[in-house]
């Protein structure tokens, strides 16, 4: 992934298609600012999905570690936890 480009909301509005193409084709994120404050980022959808999956895996691993440290009473399997996570997203 390339270093991000930082642009104001007004600039991004004037060439949004280019910002999206840059994220997709060049793997370059764009950080959008409003009144000098970073507000959002445009990234390629595949990168977003990868980041989301990674965050979900980290969350599941933390839960598994906590359950392991607390013992097995009342715990659920990783498969059950994954089903709970999927249900939470719906």
């Amino acid at each position: 992934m390339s270093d991000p480009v930082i642009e104001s909301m007004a600039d991004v509005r004037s060439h949004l298609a280019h910002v999206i193409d840059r994220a997709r084709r060049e793997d370059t994120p764009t950080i959008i600012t409003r009144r000098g404050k970073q507000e959002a980022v445009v990234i390629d959808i595949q990168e977003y999905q990868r980041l989301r999956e990674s965050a979900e895996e980290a969350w599941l691993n933390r839960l598994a570690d906590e359950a392991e440290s607390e013992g097995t009473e009342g715990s659920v399997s990783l498969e059950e936890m994954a089903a709970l996570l999927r249900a939470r997203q719906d």
Side-chain angles (χ1 to χ4, degrees), residues 7-24:
E7 295 188 50
S8 70
M9 180 81 76
D11 290 343
V12 169
R13 271 192 209 118
S14 69
H15 65 267
L16 181 58
H18 174 72
V19 170
I20 293 170
D21 287 343
R22 182 172 53 209
R24 189 172 45 101

Side-chain angles (χ1 to χ4, degrees), residues 70-89:
E70 294 174 5
T72 58
E73 186 177 329
S75 64
V76 296
S77 71
L78 189 56
E79 290 80 13
E80 291 169 313
M81 186 56 65
L84 289 171
L85 177 62
R86 283 190 292 277
R88 191 178 98 186
Q89 291 176 353

Side-chain angles (χ1 to χ4, degrees), residues 29-59:
T30 300
I31 297 173
I32 302 171
T33 63
R34 185 173 13 193
R35 297 183 190 98
K37 181 180 174 192
Q38 294 182 354
E39 295 282 335
V41 63
V42 176
I43 59 173
D44 177 66
I45 189 67
Q46 290 177 338
E47 179 65 8
Y48 167 77
Q49 291 168 338
R50 187 192 69 74
L51 290 170
R52 185 168 178 167
E53 288 172 10
S54 179
E56 289 171 357
E57 288 176 20
W59 180 73

